[in-house]
Amino acid sequence: IFPHQRMAENQPKRTLFFHGERMTWISPVTLDELLDLKAAHPKAPLVVGNTSVGPEMKFRGVFHPIVIAPSRIPDLNVVKRTDDGLTLGAACSLSLVKAVLTNATSEFPEEKTKVFCAVLQQLRTLGGEQIRNVASLGGNIISRKSTSDLNPILAASNCVLNLASRGKKRQIPLSDIFADGVGNNIIMPEEILVSVHIPYSRKGEYVSAFRQAPRRENALPITNAGMRVLFEEGTDIIKDLSIFYGGAVSTTICAKQTCWTLTGRHWNEQMLDEACRLVLKEIALPGSASGEKVDYKKTLIVSFFYRFFLEVLQSLKTTDPCHYPDIPMEYRSVLQDFKNKMPQSIQIYQAKPSQSPQDPVGRPIMHQSGIKHATGEAVYTDDLPSVDGELFLAVITSSRAHAKIVSIDISEALKGPGVFDIITAHDVPATNEFYYSDDPEIIFARNKVICVGQIVCAVVADSDVHAKQAAAKVKIEYEVLEPVILTIEEAIKHNSFFEPKRKLEQGNVDQAFETVDNIIEGEIHIGGQEHFYMETQSVLAVPKGEDKEMDVYVSTQHPAIIQEMVAASLGVPANRIMCHVKRVGGAFGGKLLKAGLLASVAAVAANKTSRAVRLILSRGDDMLITGGRHPFIGKYKVGFMNNGRIIAVDAKYYINGGCTPDESVLVAEVSLLKMDNAYKIPNLRCWAYACKTNLPSNTAFRGFGFPQSALVTETWITGVADKTGLSPEKIREINMYKEDKQTHFKQKLDPQNLIRCWNECMEKSAYYSRKTAVNEFNKQNYWKKKGIAIVPMKFPFGLGTRYLSQAAALVHIYTDGSVLLTHGGIEMGQGIHTKMIQVASRELNIPMSCIHFCETSTTTVPNACASAGSAGTDVNGMAVKDACQTLLKRLQPIINKNPKGTWNDWIKEAFEQSVSLSATGYFRGYNENMDWERGEGQPFTYFLYGAACSEVEINCLTGDHKNLRTDIVMDIGCSINPAVDIGQIEGAFVQGVGLYTMEELKYSPEGVLYTRGPDQYKIPAVCDIPEQFSVSLLSASQNPYAIYASKGIGEAGLFLGCSVFFALRHAVTSVRNERGLKKTFALNSPLTAEQIRAGCADDFTEMV
């Protein structure tokens, strides 16, 4: 211990006061002092971990002038054992509660610890480790949120609250604060919760807790429950029953009528049936506004009770085997929850033994910034130190989806503390609307708004907080315009599309349909996806003070478009705008056009105020303002023979483009070009329509239309399998590209590696033996089912036109022999700089440690293309190689003269001979083209192939699922860096799992996004990674078209996430077959727990 700490420990604790601009924070040290404070300030909240009050203040605008922090008071931190249970202080963290209960369960007989075990069951998944370390037991109870996982179980278990106020102490049952179901709070404002008493359980008493959430960890529950039953001694007659639910209405709710009615009954099927009907009648769910899952919640309410019924039966059977019936074997597995195990993974790549040890290409080298990412030392846009006189910008966005702006009242906002100015469309010196096609991309809305979240104006102030406070005071008056179009269906009805509509056709479709044995028709809906990059949209615009120069530091994939848009909006030549990107904290396609508009907002503000302006979107604003992946509807008609051969397909794709064109038509085109996935369809006709709606404009997203159109294709493949009675993998094999063939747009391909990936994946995953095991498991388990699926992939690489794939690089050698490298590519975490240093190291034949990459900037490499479409390494690698070869050519005469010399000798000599040690490199791009009139062309340069096999297990009572195992085989040519490449494949796969099974965007009927942050929108976490995860790179694969025979792999792996979707479909199908449900059922994406539960129809779903 350091001396100053020892001194601090001996000093008496004193009350601390912290005064902010608008609020005071008080931290007392004794209970009496706390009670005096509470009497003086009855409305002041008590804050320990700030996990409840904090979000309310941040997201709901709740304001508390005084906050009291009681965590230093000993009485609120007690942990003591009594004769009838444990007493825990209200300020104890949930981690401490977990530790105390875990100890108690190991020390006491099982009979006494049933309540503790049930509370622990909920604590395992409540929040995450970080949340549990600070959140308090008392806060969880007092906030009385319906999402509390602890309150239902504490209430059902007869826990007691010890309350205190000045000169008064009392005890009340915890269940009283929920007595009338809408939170009849009988704690007085001046009272505080000191501690909570959790009782021991008794003989003949059974206690259980349940929850179902959108994700197993770090997610608020959809519904949860706490249940307890006490039997008359030695019988199964109910003496006391207690059932509490959370997540149903605004707070925890008790099914007390049900409990009264059932008292005195035997614990049997008859009681179960009556309990389910009573509880559904008693707990009336409001059809709530925020897209809530009412039917699903009702199903969970009865499914949880059924699970409790089984658990208690099992326990009764164990205590008295003679009297009570056995639970059927096939029901037992549902009593075990899915446990999270640490994922185990295997990565397989080919070593190159013949290569010189100095050559780093093809070796698994760690990402250059990997350690900095992990320690937090990596510098992102918002980590740049503040500039003198810097201002912060907050945007004011439209609250209407389609409306005329009648007036903007900024008078109140301008009076706010620290407010500098308000920026509107009138302040844009030049271009405010960018016409890249018929409809414009807009910086500030001028006279009307066309989506919720459109930027109307902005506030600049001396701090982030002041800017946000002022933004909230801007009043905008609207006049609603018709029609408001939000969905694809509405766009079709109003004929609202972005032109052109696209079509591809081959063979004679109508004639082919006449000749087939069978036809299926159907449609599938695929939801959108939020980019959810770690770093939100960020810009720092710094005016230089002369010649209209400006430095723009921005988180973008495309510095050149930022430069172009900022210059156009300010009305200055591009040579005055210097755009800098060190690194980007993830982008996935979301930091192209939108980043340009946001950079222009900041630049216009910086130009008007002549000050540096920082614009960092909060996560909520980022999700509201920027679009994501296009929601998609695929309609199909497929004709096939009884042997599974597919003869004809007629398909229509509709994508929801949002309110401006952005990249939507391009996404529609790519979805057509890549729709065949791995299959040769002789007669094919497909249309793609980009719908114009009043949602924020959707944009590029990893995979770019392919993950949607290929999912439609795989859906009808499984549809054909269902109809013919053949297995889906047989249908896939029958229709797969077999020999050198042409695609539906007449481009040649050699599918040899596709077949190799498929066969290797079959073999590595032991598909057939595991499928047999899955079927066996499904026969033996009624409430749990497994599913397995294997899916092939052909991913064409290319950007469609030559000029989009040009690239340049600049390499300097300094006289000390060190090399500075830059190129037009952007580091977004995908490791492009690491690979470029590997390329330069090979070409110059010097160690990677001699080469440094500083930043991507429009001052060093002009007119660079976007880092997009998996092409970053391909094109920039060629440019870096070109520059290095130019330098080496100049050095060659010097090396030839002194072959034994060192690199430093040669460089010194070159300088003394006046040989230029700086060179640019250039790559013209791939020769790609597409003629849409004729429906043919060479839009792609080469193809990547892959296959993935995934196995899942579902819980038919809740719809929950677990990803058990995934095997991926990918053909990525000769990998430049297998460590980085396999990381990309794994990351893309998991993002695909999110798209197809979890991530769900929800809007209000007025077009307002509800899912505005990690609280409501769930991306995959560690618990969603397959328990066994193996990735193998296909050996001996060459690619003559790209640098060092590699392939661009950023996007391809995402689609393979649908192997999980089809494994889930397999599991749900086996449930339906077992239950004799003949009706065909459509599963849409994302295939959430709600859909899985609805697909597993049973008595409980019927009751609802």
Side-chain angles (χ1 to χ4, degrees), residues 258-373:
T258 305
C259 294
W260 285 339
T261 311
L262 296 173
T263 306
R265 302 288 166 88
H266 286 278
W267 196 259
N268 56 22
E269 297 273 347
Q270 229 173 326
M271 182 281 305
L272 169 70
D273 196 53
E274 191 176 355
C276 291
R277 293 186 196 293
L278 286 169
V279 83
L280 278 177
K281 205 164 128 194
E282 182 171 357
I283 296 186
L285 291 175
S288 105
S290 54
E292 280 296 349
K293 324 157 161 151
V294 177
D295 282 356
Y296 183 39
K297 286 187 171 187
K298 286 180 176 170
T299 307
L300 286 173
I301 283 174
V302 286
S303 299
F304 285 157
F305 186 79
Y306 174 64
R307 164 104 187 252
F308 183 55
F309 171 76
L310 289 179
E311 279 185 13
V312 174
L313 264 190
Q314 176 89 331
S315 302
L316 286 171
K317 171 78 188 161
T318 320
T319 47
D320 189 352
C322 312
H323 273 93
Y324 302 108
D326 246 336
I327 300 187
M329 270 311 282
E330 63 271 20
Y331 284 19
R332 287 186 194 168
S333 58
V334 82
L335 301 178
Q336 300 303 312
D337 277 320
F338 290 133
K339 291 278 182 285
N340 291 326
K341 297 191 188 125
M342 207 35 161
Q344 303 290 313
S345 60
I346 302 171
Q347 292 92 16
I348 300 170
Y349 69 95
Q350 283 65 47
K352 308 234 169 54
S354 58
Q355 184 174 319
S356 104
Q358 187 165 320
D359 180 358
V361 170
R363 301 187 193 278
I365 288 165
M366 187 172 72
H367 191 297
Q368 293 286 97
S369 306
I371 290 182
K372 287 185 231 156
H373 292 155

Side-chain angles (χ1 to χ4, degrees), residues 704-753:
F704 210 77
F706 171 70
Q708 296 103 307
S709 68
L711 185 76
V712 179
T713 298
E714 294 299 335
T715 297
W716 47 254
I717 288 275
T718 47
V720 170
D722 288 349
K723 199 81 175 168
T724 54
L726 295 164
S727 66
E729 61 274 13
K730 272 284 159 288
I731 303 295
R732 290 186 169 111
E733 280 171 2
I734 290 166
N735 293 289
M736 215 179 279
Y737 283 106
K738 293 290 191 314
E739 55 271 345
D740 287 14
K741 280 273 178 38
Q742 284 190 342
T743 61
H744 53 297
F745 46 88
K746 302 196 171 46
Q747 180 165 349
K748 285 196 178 69
L749 87 149
D750 168 9
Q752 191 188 329
N753 283 355

Side-chain angles (χ1 to χ4, degrees), residues 316 529 634 755 1047 1095:
L316 286 171
Q529 186 179 24
I755 295 157
K1047 291 186 178 185

